[in-house]
Amino acid sequence: MCGIVGYIGPRETAKVLIEGLKRLEYRGYDSAGIAIFNQGKVEIRRKEGKLIKLEELIGEETFDGKVGIGHTRWATHGRPSDENAHPHKAGRVAVVHNGIIENYLSLKEILKSKGHIFTSETDTEIISHLIDEFIQEGNSSLDAVRIALDKIKGSYALGILIEGDERSLLAAKKESPLVVGIGEGEYFIASDVPAVLPYTKNFIFMEDGEIALLSAEGVKVFNVKGEEVSKEPKRVNWNSLMAEKGGYKHFMLKEIFEQPRAVIDTIRGRLSEEKGDAVLENVHFAPTFLKKMKRVSLIACGTSYHAALIGKFLIEEFCRIPVEPDIGSEFRYRNPIVGESNLLIAISQSGETADTLAALREAKRKGTTTLAICNVVESSLAREADQVIYTHAGPEIGVASTKTFVTQLVILFLLALHMGRELGILSKEEGKALIEELVRVPHLMEEMLKASNQVSKIARKYLHARDFLYLGRGINYPIALEGALKLKEISYVHAEGYPAGEMKHGPIALIDREMPVVVLATKNEVYEKVISNIEEVKAREGMVIALASPSDREIVHKVDDVIFIPETIPSLTPILLTIPLQLLAYYMADFKGTDVDQPRNLAKSVTVE
Ligand code: M6R
């Protein structure tokens, strides 16, 4: 949660900071603020509410300083308010922070007894006081930061300005993401790469315990002992247009329409049609590991967890190995049974989700081989897992996951195919047939997107419904969960996803003529069963929106609305079913006038428990 940015260089600092914060606003939008050196003093402007409020506050004001830091907040300690907005300043030290300081209350008491006066309810404020305390004792800026951080327990990505040292910007990282952008005579810090992509593609990815010292002359990185460490910048291949709306009304809509491209990029270079296998560049299992493997655990949160549920079907079908999907926050506290004969796959768009990361660490501690599926390059999860496969979805700005979800499904399909081939469960011919079908998917997705007008009309028709039920069976059931989650999070309409066969055990009591039921009814081995569930809903006067196969002309007479899903094999159908459900949620939200890209109370990357 929260986004931080910092700049040192010749450009107009406030502008660079505000532009960076616009790209980070998806991480939190309870308040925003900047701090800039102005004639040796740190000037702070901060405001509760979205970034636009801060822009209004700054208005035409200009700052001549060439060094600054900025913050966009997702509140944890202290309600959203001007006082709790970052940057926080104490004495000569101004700080922006993403993370949580666990021992802030005890530190606060110690600092208060030394005469420090606090003006906010945040945990962050103690950091500025603590560093100021060590500055006052005569330490250099770097040493003051180092000594202060040694006293702190918790997670942080920090940007720090110290009056008296106005030619420097300091940054530090522990368990919260932080990158340093390297430009031509200008340098940046940010919570993620897209924030400063318009200015540079070269980045240093900070490690836990490192402190960066940025000056007009360059960047130096130090370890906790204050020794300089050598860091090679890496070049990223994202471009800044990927983080623009490109004419769409919302990022979410753009990202839905980008999905065929995202899938092509994710597949590119990863198929060997000749061998009937997937080529996963970073995946290398020890020769007997897969044969001896007893179980696969799939760990994730939110939408990524729905991908994990689909992964169970794919891996069990292609590899005949038992798979246990788990929610990160449940797995980590359960004393999970994992170890050397297990593979744990952690799935996360951001690679920074606290619960997923903690689950991975717990599994590693127990000797489990781990693999991460991430979208954000060099994220914590990507670095901590034994192996990583990246989804090449590009930056996702809308808080609702869309293109990153479908690309996770593609990676799980490729991984299951590869493991199935390695294990000898899938023959070369079967592998080739699966690949043949997979390469058709981007084209089928384009076809699916053509239904957007129809979906928008359906959204208008059911706009006043207060509750929705989503039903699916087998591999389509997780898509029912995903459809319901999308609707809830962006349109604030209550929705439940259910396995269709479970309806009669409870949810059927909810059905009446006010209740739209979205049924995933594509042709597969459980199709007849799903049709029976539709009959049960209609018998109770429920309204049914069916997602069906184009060959199914009968269904038109049974339901209120039908969206046809292009035909493919059942293991790839979830990718196509996802699109109309994303669009349904999107149009419902847009018609209701909610904040589609930044829904209330949410943040893109949940780096707190
Ligand atoms: O970055 P991650 O994939 O680990 O994020 C997990 C969830 O927080 C995320 O999928 C969340 O549920 C989305 N808002 C769903 O659209």
Side-chain angles (χ1 to χ4, degrees):
M1 321 302 215
C2 303
I4 71 166
V5 66
Y7 177 67
I8 181 161
R11 295 177 202 257
E12 201 183 314
T13 307
K15 212 168 156 206
V16 176
L17 296 176
I18 297 286
E19 287 304 313
L21 290 178
K22 278 185 189 157
R23 292 188 164 78
L24 289 170
E25 211 183 4
Y26 72 89
R27 299 179 69 90
Y29 26 87
D30 289 332
S31 63
I34 57 170
I36 300 180
F37 273 122
N38 220 14
Q39 289 160 5
K41 291 274 167 226
V42 172
E43 295 270 356
I44 292 184
R45 300 290 178 272
R46 53 187 190 167
K47 193 74 195 151
E48 180 192 343
K50 293 199 166 197
L51 188 57
I52 184 81
K53 298 277 177 205
L54 176 68
E55 289 185 90
E56 283 165 12
L57 175 76
I58 294 172
E60 299 301 310
E61 198 178 1
T62 54
F63 305 85
D64 56 13
K66 296 295 166 204
V67 188
I69 50 179
H71 187 268
T72 181
R73 179 168 188 246
W74 187 83
T76 56
H77 295 59
R79 71 201 153 80
S81 68
D82 291 353
E83 297 71 38
N84 290 333
H86 300 214
H88 290 284
K89 183 162 183 268
R92 288 162 55 193
V93 180
V95 165
V96 289
H97 169 219
N98 170 31
I100 287 184
I101 304 306
E102 289 160 12
N103 59 340
Y104 82 104
L105 285 175
S106 55
L107 290 172
K108 197 168 182 176
E109 285 315 307
I110 297 168
L111 288 161
K112 271 184 178 170
S113 69
K114 291 185 174 177
H116 288 259
I117 295 166
F118 288 80
T119 55
S120 81
E121 304 156 293
T122 66
D123 52 341
T124 301
E125 195 185 348
I126 65 112
I127 306 174
S128 45
H129 285 271
L130 206 54
I131 298 173
D132 187 53
E133 178 76 13
F134 296 116
I135 290 281
Q136 284 179 35
E137 284 181 8
N139 292 290
S140 68
S141 300
L142 178 66
D143 282 343
V145 170
R146 215 169 45 75
I147 302 165
L149 294 183
D150 191 45
K151 312 246 173 267
I152 283 171
K153 287 199 185 112
S155 57
Y156 50 78
L158 295 169
I160 306 157
L161 300 183
I162 300 177
E163 283 175 357
D165 193 3
E166 62 265 34
R167 288 169 46 79
S168 314
L169 158 57
L170 288 118
K173 169 187 162 32
K174 187 180 160 231
E175 293 170 21
S176 294
L178 184 66
V179 298
V180 177
I182 311 290
E184 293 282 325
E186 57 181 353
Y187 306 95
F188 309 81
I189 61 163
S191 294
D192 69 19
V193 164
V196 295
L197 260 183
Y199 312 106
T200 182
K201 287 187 173 188
N202 297 320
F203 289 89
I204 291 174
F205 293 91
M206 298 278 287
E207 307 275 343
D208 281 355
E210 289 179 345
I211 302 172
L213 179 60
L214 287 70
S215 69
E217 285 72 49
V219 177
K220 289 182 176 178
V221 180
F222 301 88
N223 64 18
V224 273
K225 293 186 203 146
E227 299 157 345
E228 191 172 345
V229 288
S230 142
K231 303 278 286 187
E232 268 308 301
K234 293 187 179 164
R235 195 166 171 79
V236 299
N237 59 8
W238 289 358
N239 68 54
S240 59
L241 285 179
M242 286 171 149
E244 309 280 343
K245 276 192 202 150
Y248 286 89
K249 186 170 178 191
H250 295 101
F251 279 110
M252 182 183 176
L253 190 60
K254 175 189 169 230
E255 287 158 1
I256 291 172
F257 275 85
E258 268 176 1
Q259 292 181 114
R261 195 272 311 145
V263 168
I264 290 172
D265 288 350
T266 299
I267 295 174
R268 184 175 295 126
R270 285 171 163 169
L271 297 178
S272 165
E273 269 143 335
E274 195 190 321
K275 292 184 185 155
D277 201 351
V279 185
L280 297 168
E281 60 277 14
N282 297 323
V283 178
H284 305 287
F285 297 113
T288 55
F289 175 74
L290 285 183
K291 297 252 184 240
K292 288 189 182 156
M293 184 169 69
K294 292 212 168 64
R295 191 159 21 91
V296 177
S297 299
L298 286 171
I299 308 296
C301 302
T303 287
S304 297
Y305 174 66
H306 300 152
L309 293 174
I310 304 251
K312 174 183 170 70
F313 283 87
L314 297 172
I315 298 171
E316 288 191 348
E317 186 178 330
F318 296 174
C319 310
R320 304 310 301 153
I321 294 172
V323 179
E324 200 176 8
D326 231 317
I327 289 173
S329 53
E330 292 296 319
F331 179 92
R332 63 185 290 195
Y333 293 117
R334 206 184 55 227
N335 192 11
I337 306 171
V338 284
E340 279 171 17
S341 54
N342 297 129
L343 170 66
L344 179 130
I345 303 173
I347 309 170
S348 171
Q349 183 287 127
S350 60
E352 303 295 345
T353 300
D355 288 321
T356 308
L357 256 174
L360 178 102
R361 289 175 185 149
E362 175 64 5
K364 279 189 84 171
R365 202 180 59 75
K366 293 187 164 184
T368 317
T369 299
T370 58
L371 189 154
I373 297 177
C374 289
N375 190 47
V376 176
V377 176
E378 293 287 330
S379 55
S380 303
L381 198 72
R383 278 185 285 157
E384 291 190 31
D386 299 322
Q387 321 194 33
V388 57
I389 314 177
Y390 287 113
T391 52
H392 294 159
E396 188 175 70
I397 309 295
V399 163
S401 305
T402 52
K403 60 179 178 169
T404 56
F405 174 65
V406 297
T407 53
Q408 287 169 349
L409 298 186
V410 168
I411 292 295
L412 286 163
F413 184 90
L414 292 175
L415 183 62
L417 163 63
H418 178 62
M419 295 197 317
R421 290 286 293 120
E422 291 276 301
L423 286 163
I425 305 286
L426 289 177
S427 67
K428 194 205 276 192
E429 290 315 311
E430 286 169 320
K432 278 184 182 177
L434 290 171
I435 289 175
E436 220 168 86
E437 205 54 35
L438 178 63
V439 295
R440 288 179 64 229
V441 164
H443 166 69
L444 300 179
M445 293 171 85
E446 294 285 3
E447 285 299 304
M448 189 70 261
L449 284 164
K450 289 185 186 151
S452 71
N453 280 342
Q454 186 204 356
V455 178
S456 135
K457 284 184 192 138
I458 293 174
R460 177 83 68 193
K461 178 172 167 187
Y462 296 98
L463 195 55
H464 300 295
R466 292 176 53 197
D467 305 275
F468 271 70
L469 194 59
Y470 286 68
L471 301 178
R473 277 180 185 254
I475 196 168
N476 292 346
Y477 155 57
I479 301 301
L481 295 178
E482 176 58 9
L485 176 63
K486 285 286 93 87
L487 190 68
K488 275 186 273 213
E489 73 178 329
I490 61 167
S491 73
Y492 316 144
V493 171
H494 171 242
E496 299 258 8
Y498 246 88
E502 274 288 292
M503 185 180 62
K504 57 187 173 292
H505 298 287
I508 199 162
L510 296 169
I511 291 171
D512 61 16
R513 62 182 63 170
E514 302 296 313
M515 170 76 111
V517 183
V518 179
V519 186
L520 312 185
T522 46
K523 288 266 173 78
N524 57 20
E525 68 283 6
V526 287
Y527 167 76
E528 299 296 341
K529 309 276 173 210
V530 176
I531 293 298
S532 304
N533 299 131
I534 290 178
E535 303 284 4
E536 288 158 11
V537 174
K538 289 312 294 176
R540 284 150 189 93
E541 298 189 48
M543 295 173 288
V544 173
I545 304 161
L547 274 56
S549 304
S551 56
D552 187 355
R553 303 325 291 191
E554 293 293 296
I555 203 162
V556 180
H557 309 293
K558 294 187 199 303
V559 302
D560 299 84
D561 293 279
V562 189
I563 301 166
F564 287 114
I565 308 296
E567 214 110 33
T568 179
I569 53 176
S571 52
L572 290 169
T573 304
I575 296 178
L576 301 176
L577 283 167
T578 302
I579 295 174
L581 300 189
Q582 293 168 339
L583 288 168
L584 182 64
Y586 171 78
Y587 288 118
M588 294 273 293
D590 189 34
F591 295 151
K592 282 177 185 292
T594 64
D595 196 339
V596 172
D597 286 331
Q598 296 171 347
R600 68 186 178 205
N601 305 337
L602 290 174
K604 183 77 183 158
S605 131
V606 184
T607 55
V608 292
E609 269 198 62

